[in-house]
Amino acid sequence: MNKYIRFSFFCFFFATCAIHVQGEKKTKSPVYEAYIEKYKILAIKQQKTYKIPASITLAQGLLESAAGNSRLARQGNNHFGIKCKDEWRGGRMYHDDDAKDECFRTYPSVEESYVDHSLFLAKRKYYVSLFDLDIYDYRGWAHGLQRCGYATDKSYGAKLVSLIETYELYKYDKAKIADKIPPVDDIYQIKINGGDDRKKRPAAVNWRRRILETNGIHYIEAQENDTYDFIAYDTRMKLKRLLKYNDTTGERLLRKGDRVYLQGKRKYAAKGNFIHTVKDGESLHGISQLYGMKLNSLYKLNKIKDSYTPKPGDTLKVRK
């Protein structure tokens, strides 16, 4: 190899290296930076409550929603590409993904999308192994999400890591905020007064469930084709607790409009209610739900047995 050839070779080699290095250098998108600034607090809240790294939540939000510009994000506030699944009973829209016209969840706000994403990971067995990882191990989480099947893209984990490192999202994993939101399995974190369940306000009921009140107790109304399982999922309550509050084993089918209590019922009906006249089709359980009083108290107050079946026109005491 003569000097000219050697010189040409080295010029070509270094030029190639320079191009490669330049290609590897990542420029930051102002659109991505604006998204991060807008939603970083939401991501930090998810880490604080559900133990999902804020960097992972932000990176997935960026990737899945194209920094809030995808059709799902713009029209349905769905920032994580979560599909409907069997348990979903909220809004929906249809979008081509792995197949044509697949069903995707929609939300009234981006915040609901962030919370539902956290619940989606926290309540599914596929992702259990992720929660054994260190909260600061964003690489483990990113590649773990891919292995657990969150996305079919084989480079999904690498893309998340790239976003986290390009935009330094890992710094949000160590950020602190004063705000508190309830954990997955307990909606009774914000107390109004005292320590009684009835003195604690449900703080994280899903947006599809409007909280009502009777006899000083919070309840929601069952929707079409509702079940106690669905309600427990939406209200982030343990099913066993929900059934206990409503004097039922869960075998009783819910009808649209039925009251489902989120707190323990009282011994008697509210002041001003003393007698109930039975209407056609009413049951003792239904009457106890109507007044927010314990079923056992209704039996004791009227000195009746389990075998008693109320008839239209019968009168029952609901308060001493």
Side-chain angles (χ1 to χ4, degrees), residues 32 35-36 43 53-67 79-80 114 117 138 142 145 156-165 167 169-170 172-173:
Y32 275 40
Y35 181 95
I36 294 163
S55 59
I56 288 293
T57 300
L58 278 172
Q60 283 196 280
L62 284 167
L63 187 59
E64 297 286 350
S65 75
H79 281 230
F80 298 93
Y114 269 68
H117 168 258
Y138 63 84
L145 280 166
Y156 189 76
K159 287 177 180 178
L160 292 180
V161 170
S162 178
L163 282 169
I164 291 168
E165 294 180 347
Y167 293 93
L169 303 181
Y170 45 76
Y172 299 115
D173 294 342

Short mmCIF file of all heavy atoms in Angstrom, two decimals, residues 32 35-36 43 53-67 79-80 114 117 138 142 145 156-165 167 169-170 172-173:
data_model
loop_
_atom_site.label_atom_id
_atom_site.label_comp_id
_atom_site.label_asym_id
_atom_site.label_seq_id
_atom_site.Cartn_x
_atom_site.Cartn_y
_atom_site.Cartn_z
N TYR A 32 -41.34 17.20 22.24
CA TYR A 32 -41.15 16.21 23.31
C TYR A 32 -40.86 16.90 24.63
O TYR A 32 -41.37 16.49 25.68
CB TYR A 32 -40.02 15.26 22.94
CG TYR A 32 -40.44 14.10 22.06
CD1 TYR A 32 -41.36 14.30 21.03
CD2 TYR A 32 -39.94 12.83 22.24
CE1 TYR A 32 -41.76 13.25 20.22
CE2 TYR A 32 -40.33 11.77 21.44
CZ TYR A 32 -41.24 11.99 20.42
OH TYR A 32 -41.65 10.96 19.64
N TYR A 35 -44.01 18.24 26.12
CA TYR A 35 -44.82 17.16 26.69
C TYR A 35 -44.30 16.78 28.07
O TYR A 35 -45.07 16.64 29.02
CB TYR A 35 -44.78 15.94 25.76
CG TYR A 35 -45.62 14.77 26.26
CD1 TYR A 35 -46.92 14.59 25.81
CD2 TYR A 35 -45.10 13.84 27.16
CE1 TYR A 35 -47.69 13.52 26.26
CE2 TYR A 35 -45.85 12.78 27.61
CZ TYR A 35 -47.15 12.63 27.16
OH TYR A 35 -47.91 11.58 27.62
N ILE A 36 -43.00 16.63 28.18
CA ILE A 36 -42.38 16.25 29.46
C ILE A 36 -42.67 17.29 30.53
O ILE A 36 -43.04 16.96 31.66
CB ILE A 36 -40.86 16.07 29.28
CG1 ILE A 36 -40.57 14.87 28.37
CG2 ILE A 36 -40.17 15.88 30.64
CD1 ILE A 36 -39.17 14.84 27.80
N ALA A 43 -46.47 11.91 36.14
CA ALA A 43 -45.59 10.73 36.14
C ALA A 43 -44.98 10.51 37.52
O ALA A 43 -44.88 9.37 37.99
CB ALA A 43 -44.50 10.89 35.09
N PRO A 53 -41.51 3.62 37.86
CA PRO A 53 -40.59 4.75 37.65
C PRO A 53 -41.21 5.86 36.80
O PRO A 53 -41.82 5.58 35.76
CB PRO A 53 -39.41 4.10 36.92
CG PRO A 53 -39.46 2.66 37.34
CD PRO A 53 -40.90 2.32 37.48
N ALA A 54 -41.05 7.08 37.24
CA ALA A 54 -41.59 8.23 36.50
C ALA A 54 -40.99 8.28 35.10
O ALA A 54 -41.67 8.65 34.13
CB ALA A 54 -41.30 9.52 37.26
N SER A 55 -39.72 7.91 34.99
CA SER A 55 -39.05 7.93 33.68
C SER A 55 -39.72 6.97 32.70
O SER A 55 -39.88 7.29 31.52
CB SER A 55 -37.58 7.55 33.84
OG SER A 55 -37.45 6.26 34.42
N ILE A 56 -40.14 5.81 33.19
CA ILE A 56 -40.81 4.82 32.35
C ILE A 56 -42.17 5.33 31.91
O ILE A 56 -42.55 5.24 30.73
CB ILE A 56 -40.96 3.48 33.11
CG1 ILE A 56 -39.60 2.79 33.24
CG2 ILE A 56 -41.97 2.57 32.43
CD1 ILE A 56 -39.00 2.31 31.92
N THR A 57 -42.93 5.90 32.85
CA THR A 57 -44.25 6.43 32.52
C THR A 57 -44.15 7.53 31.46
O THR A 57 -44.90 7.53 30.48
CB THR A 57 -44.94 6.97 33.78
OG1 THR A 57 -45.10 5.91 34.73
CG2 THR A 57 -46.32 7.55 33.45
N LEU A 58 -43.21 8.45 31.65
CA LEU A 58 -43.04 9.54 30.69
C LEU A 58 -42.59 9.01 29.33
O LEU A 58 -43.09 9.45 28.28
CB LEU A 58 -42.02 10.55 31.21
CG LEU A 58 -42.56 11.58 32.21
CD1 LEU A 58 -41.40 12.38 32.80
CD2 LEU A 58 -43.57 12.51 31.55
N ALA A 59 -41.64 8.09 29.34
CA ALA A 59 -41.13 7.54 28.07
C ALA A 59 -42.24 6.80 27.31
O ALA A 59 -42.37 6.95 26.09
CB ALA A 59 -39.96 6.61 28.34
N GLN A 60 -43.04 6.03 28.03
CA GLN A 60 -44.15 5.34 27.37
C GLN A 60 -45.18 6.33 26.84
O GLN A 60 -45.72 6.15 25.75
CB GLN A 60 -44.81 4.36 28.35
CG GLN A 60 -44.02 3.08 28.56
CD GLN A 60 -44.87 2.00 29.22
OE1 GLN A 60 -45.07 2.00 30.42
NE2 GLN A 60 -45.37 1.10 28.40
N GLY A 61 -45.45 7.37 27.63
CA GLY A 61 -46.39 8.40 27.18
C GLY A 61 -45.90 9.06 25.91
O GLY A 61 -46.67 9.27 24.95
N LEU A 62 -44.62 9.41 25.87
CA LEU A 62 -44.03 10.02 24.67
C LEU A 62 -44.12 9.09 23.46
O LEU A 62 -44.54 9.51 22.38
CB LEU A 62 -42.55 10.34 24.93
CG LEU A 62 -42.24 11.57 25.79
CD1 LEU A 62 -40.77 11.54 26.21
CD2 LEU A 62 -42.55 12.84 25.03
N LEU A 63 -43.74 7.84 23.67
CA LEU A 63 -43.68 6.88 22.57
C LEU A 63 -45.07 6.48 22.07
O LEU A 63 -45.33 6.48 20.86
CB LEU A 63 -42.90 5.65 23.03
CG LEU A 63 -42.59 4.59 21.97
CD1 LEU A 63 -41.78 5.19 20.83
CD2 LEU A 63 -41.83 3.43 22.60
N GLU A 64 -45.95 6.15 23.00
CA GLU A 64 -47.27 5.65 22.63
C GLU A 64 -48.19 6.74 22.06
O GLU A 64 -49.06 6.45 21.25
CB GLU A 64 -47.95 4.99 23.84
CG GLU A 64 -47.24 3.77 24.40
CD GLU A 64 -47.40 2.54 23.52
OE1 GLU A 64 -48.22 2.58 22.58
OE2 GLU A 64 -46.70 1.54 23.77
N SER A 65 -48.00 7.97 22.51
CA SER A 65 -48.91 9.04 22.08
C SER A 65 -48.28 10.00 21.08
O SER A 65 -48.91 11.00 20.71
CB SER A 65 -49.39 9.84 23.29
OG SER A 65 -48.37 10.70 23.76
N ALA A 66 -47.03 9.72 20.66
CA ALA A 66 -46.30 10.65 19.80
C ALA A 66 -46.29 12.03 20.44
O ALA A 66 -46.63 13.03 19.83
CB ALA A 66 -46.91 10.71 18.40
N ALA A 67 -45.95 12.04 21.73
CA ALA A 67 -45.88 13.28 22.53
C ALA A 67 -47.22 14.01 22.53
O ALA A 67 -47.29 15.24 22.45
CB ALA A 67 -44.78 14.20 22.02
N HIS A 79 -53.02 8.06 26.27
CA HIS A 79 -51.60 8.33 26.05
C HIS A 79 -50.73 7.09 26.11
O HIS A 79 -49.52 7.18 25.95
CB HIS A 79 -51.11 9.35 27.08
CG HIS A 79 -51.48 10.76 26.74
ND1 HIS A 79 -50.57 11.80 26.73
CD2 HIS A 79 -52.67 11.30 26.36
CE1 HIS A 79 -51.19 12.92 26.38
NE2 HIS A 79 -52.46 12.64 26.16
N PHE A 80 -51.34 5.91 26.36
CA PHE A 80 -50.52 4.70 26.53
C PHE A 80 -50.97 3.55 25.63
O PHE A 80 -50.52 2.42 25.81
CB PHE A 80 -50.52 4.28 28.00
CG PHE A 80 -49.90 5.32 28.89
CD1 PHE A 80 -50.69 6.28 29.50
CD2 PHE A 80 -48.53 5.38 29.08
CE1 PHE A 80 -50.14 7.28 30.29
CE2 PHE A 80 -47.96 6.37 29.87
CZ PHE A 80 -48.76 7.33 30.48
N TYR A 114 -53.26 8.41 32.71
CA TYR A 114 -52.06 8.11 33.49
C TYR A 114 -52.37 7.15 34.65
O TYR A 114 -51.65 6.18 34.88
CB TYR A 114 -51.43 9.39 34.02
CG TYR A 114 -50.39 9.98 33.09
CD1 TYR A 114 -50.75 10.52 31.86
CD2 TYR A 114 -49.04 9.98 33.43
CE1 TYR A 114 -49.79 11.05 30.99
CE2 TYR A 114 -48.07 10.52 32.58
CZ TYR A 114 -48.46 11.04 31.35
OH TYR A 114 -47.51 11.56 30.50
N HIS A 117 -53.20 3.68 33.32
CA HIS A 117 -51.96 3.01 32.91
C HIS A 117 -51.27 2.38 34.11
O HIS A 117 -50.80 1.23 34.05
CB HIS A 117 -51.04 4.02 32.22
CG HIS A 117 -49.65 3.53 32.00
ND1 HIS A 117 -48.59 3.90 32.80
CD2 HIS A 117 -49.13 2.67 31.08
CE1 HIS A 117 -47.48 3.30 32.37
NE2 HIS A 117 -47.78 2.56 31.33
N TYR A 138 -34.30 1.87 35.30
CA TYR A 138 -35.18 2.14 34.16
C TYR A 138 -34.89 1.21 32.98
O TYR A 138 -35.80 0.87 32.22
CB TYR A 138 -35.08 3.61 33.74
CG TYR A 138 -33.73 4.07 33.25
CD1 TYR A 138 -33.35 3.87 31.92
CD2 TYR A 138 -32.86 4.74 34.10
CE1 TYR A 138 -32.11 4.30 31.46
CE2 TYR A 138 -31.61 5.18 33.64
CZ TYR A 138 -31.24 4.95 32.33
OH TYR A 138 -30.03 5.37 31.87
N ALA A 142 -37.70 -1.00 31.24
CA ALA A 142 -37.96 -0.82 29.81
C ALA A 142 -37.93 -2.15 29.06
O ALA A 142 -38.86 -2.49 28.32
CB ALA A 142 -36.92 0.14 29.22
N LEU A 145 -40.80 -4.55 30.24
CA LEU A 145 -42.10 -4.28 29.61
C LEU A 145 -42.20 -4.97 28.26
O LEU A 145 -43.25 -5.52 27.91
CB LEU A 145 -42.30 -2.76 29.43
CG LEU A 145 -42.74 -1.99 30.67
CD1 LEU A 145 -42.57 -0.48 30.45
CD2 LEU A 145 -44.19 -2.30 31.02
N TYR A 156 -38.91 -2.20 21.37
CA TYR A 156 -39.68 -1.34 22.28
C TYR A 156 -38.84 -0.91 23.49
O TYR A 156 -38.78 0.27 23.84
CB TYR A 156 -40.94 -2.07 22.75
CG TYR A 156 -41.91 -1.18 23.51
CD1 TYR A 156 -42.71 -0.27 22.84
CD2 TYR A 156 -42.06 -1.29 24.89
CE1 TYR A 156 -43.62 0.54 23.53
CE2 TYR A 156 -42.95 -0.49 25.59
CZ TYR A 156 -43.73 0.41 24.90
OH TYR A 156 -44.61 1.22 25.57
N GLY A 157 -38.18 -1.87 24.12
CA GLY A 157 -37.37 -1.56 25.30
C GLY A 157 -36.25 -0.59 24.98
O GLY A 157 -35.99 0.36 25.72
N ALA A 158 -35.57 -0.83 23.84
CA ALA A 158 -34.47 0.04 23.43
C ALA A 158 -34.96 1.46 23.15
O ALA A 158 -34.27 2.45 23.46
CB ALA A 158 -33.79 -0.53 22.19
N LYS A 159 -36.13 1.58 22.58
CA LYS A 159 -36.70 2.90 22.28
C LYS A 159 -37.01 3.67 23.57
O LYS A 159 -36.77 4.87 23.66
CB LYS A 159 -37.97 2.76 21.44
CG LYS A 159 -37.71 2.36 20.00
CD LYS A 159 -39.00 2.17 19.22
CE LYS A 159 -38.71 1.77 17.78
NZ LYS A 159 -39.95 1.53 17.02
N LEU A 160 -37.53 2.96 24.57
CA LEU A 160 -37.81 3.61 25.86
C LEU A 160 -36.52 4.09 26.51
O LEU A 160 -36.44 5.22 27.01
CB LEU A 160 -38.54 2.64 26.80
CG LEU A 160 -39.97 2.23 26.43
CD1 LEU A 160 -40.52 1.27 27.47
CD2 LEU A 160 -40.88 3.45 26.32
N VAL A 161 -35.50 3.24 26.50
CA VAL A 161 -34.20 3.60 27.09
C VAL A 161 -33.62 4.82 26.37
O VAL A 161 -33.11 5.75 27.01
CB VAL A 161 -33.21 2.42 27.02
CG1 VAL A 161 -31.80 2.87 27.42
CG2 VAL A 161 -33.67 1.29 27.95
N SER A 162 -33.72 4.83 25.05
CA SER A 162 -33.20 5.95 24.27
C SER A 162 -33.89 7.26 24.65
O SER A 162 -33.24 8.29 24.83
CB SER A 162 -33.40 5.67 22.78
OG SER A 162 -32.94 6.76 22.01
N LEU A 163 -35.22 7.22 24.79
CA LEU A 163 -35.96 8.43 25.19
C LEU A 163 -35.56 8.89 26.59
O LEU A 163 -35.37 10.08 26.84
CB LEU A 163 -37.46 8.14 25.16
CG LEU A 163 -38.13 8.13 23.78
CD1 LEU A 163 -39.55 7.57 23.88
CD2 LEU A 163 -38.15 9.53 23.18
N ILE A 164 -35.44 7.93 27.50
CA ILE A 164 -35.08 8.26 28.89
C ILE A 164 -33.70 8.93 28.96
O ILE A 164 -33.51 9.91 29.67
CB ILE A 164 -35.12 7.00 29.77
CG1 ILE A 164 -36.57 6.53 29.95
CG2 ILE A 164 -34.49 7.26 31.14
CD1 ILE A 164 -36.72 5.15 30.55
N GLU A 165 -32.76 8.40 28.20
CA GLU A 165 -31.40 8.93 28.25
C GLU A 165 -31.25 10.22 27.45
O GLU A 165 -30.51 11.12 27.85
CB GLU A 165 -30.43 7.85 27.79
CG GLU A 165 -30.41 6.67 28.77
CD GLU A 165 -29.45 5.56 28.38
OE1 GLU A 165 -28.97 5.58 27.22
OE2 GLU A 165 -29.19 4.69 29.22
N TYR A 167 -33.58 12.51 26.95
CA TYR A 167 -34.26 13.61 27.64
C TYR A 167 -34.01 13.62 29.16
O TYR A 167 -34.66 14.35 29.90
CB TYR A 167 -35.77 13.56 27.34
CG TYR A 167 -36.06 13.86 25.90
CD1 TYR A 167 -36.17 12.83 24.97
CD2 TYR A 167 -36.18 15.17 25.44
CE1 TYR A 167 -36.41 13.10 23.62
CE2 TYR A 167 -36.42 15.45 24.10
CZ TYR A 167 -36.53 14.41 23.20
OH TYR A 167 -36.75 14.70 21.87
N LEU A 169 -34.81 11.63 31.50
CA LEU A 169 -36.03 11.40 32.27
C LEU A 169 -35.75 10.72 33.60
O LEU A 169 -36.57 10.78 34.52
CB LEU A 169 -37.02 10.55 31.45
CG LEU A 169 -37.43 11.11 30.09
CD1 LEU A 169 -38.43 10.19 29.42
CD2 LEU A 169 -38.03 12.51 30.24
N TYR A 170 -34.60 10.06 33.72
CA TYR A 170 -34.25 9.37 34.96
C TYR A 170 -34.18 10.31 36.16
O TYR A 170 -34.32 9.89 37.30
CB TYR A 170 -32.92 8.62 34.82
CG TYR A 170 -31.83 9.43 34.14
CD1 TYR A 170 -31.16 10.44 34.80
CD2 TYR A 170 -31.50 9.17 32.81
CE1 TYR A 170 -30.18 11.19 34.17
CE2 TYR A 170 -30.52 9.92 32.15
CZ TYR A 170 -29.86 10.94 32.84
OH TYR A 170 -28.91 11.68 32.21
N TYR A 172 -36.34 12.37 37.03
CA TYR A 172 -37.66 12.46 37.66
C TYR A 172 -37.94 11.28 38.59
O TYR A 172 -38.85 11.33 39.42
CB TYR A 172 -38.76 12.57 36.60
CG TYR A 172 -38.61 13.81 35.75
CD1 TYR A 172 -38.33 13.71 34.38
CD2 TYR A 172 -38.71 15.08 36.31
CE1 TYR A 172 -38.16 14.85 33.61
CE2 TYR A 172 -38.55 16.21 35.54
CZ TYR A 172 -38.27 16.09 34.19
OH TYR A 172 -38.09 17.22 33.43
N ASP A 173 -37.14 10.22 38.47
CA ASP A 173 -37.29 9.07 39.36
C ASP A 173 -36.90 9.43 40.79
O ASP A 173 -37.30 8.75 41.74
CB ASP A 173 -36.43 7.90 38.89
CG ASP A 173 -36.90 7.35 37.55
OD1 ASP A 173 -38.05 7.63 37.17
OD2 ASP A 173 -36.11 6.66 36.88
#
